[in-house]
Amino acid sequence: HNVPNALVFLDKYAQVARILRPLVAVLRRSVELCDDDKHVKALVVRSFGSVDAYQTAVLADFFRHAFDGSGADNFYDAGSCVDGRLTSAWNWCAQIAHKPYYVVFKLAGFAGFDGDW
């Protein structure tokens, strides 16, 4: 196994904000959307039970899958290294359009994980 230099690790840690910033923005905006639009609130309540339950579903899915080691080629490489975990997080990001909560992401203005918030 190769050990990358320090600049590779700095780049990997810099990616964390690119993943978390849009996620946090959507969670915050979902509350505002439900307060401002009764139709959005009805959608969220019908689908998830409440705005809090919606946010919990998003976060539970994120923490369940974004750091599960699925980004490594095999179990031994998955470990606890930042590379395997970030690849798992990017895999989760790539699958977001298939998640049941994605429609609220779009209503909240989500453009992607490389967009400006």
Side-chain angles (χ1 to χ4, degrees):
H1 301 284
N2 295 328
V3 176
N5 67 41
L7 293 177
V8 172
F9 281 106
L10 289 174
D11 176 61
K12 300 247 180 245
Y13 284 110
Q15 293 180 34
V16 172
R18 291 173 54 197
I19 296 169
L20 294 181
R21 188 176 299 115
L23 181 62
V24 170
V26 166
L27 293 174
R28 286 183 177 157
R29 182 76 180 114
S30 65
V31 174
E32 296 167 8
L33 277 172
C34 289
D35 287 345
D36 295 346
D37 189 322
K38 66 181 181 179
H39 299 293
V40 174
K41 184 171 186 172
L43 170 73
V44 170
V45 169
R46 184 174 58 250
S47 301
F48 297 94
S50 69
V51 179
D52 286 341
Y54 168 79
Q55 292 177 320
T56 300
V58 172
L59 290 172
D61 189 59
F62 177 74
F63 286 110
R64 184 177 299 119
H65 299 291
F67 303 107
D68 64 1
S70 64
D73 292 332
N74 60 58
F75 176 76
Y76 297 104
D77 288 338
S80 62
C81 71
V82 66
D83 189 39
R85 300 305 171 188
L86 278 173
T87 305
S88 299
W90 281 120
N91 287 345
W92 179 85
C93 294
Q95 296 298 317
I96 195 135
H98 306 289
K99 304 291 184 172
Y101 45 75
Y102 182 67
V103 67
V104 180
F105 268 64
K106 294 305 286 182
L107 291 170
F110 176 76
F113 288 95
D114 290 324
D116 294 326
W117 280 85

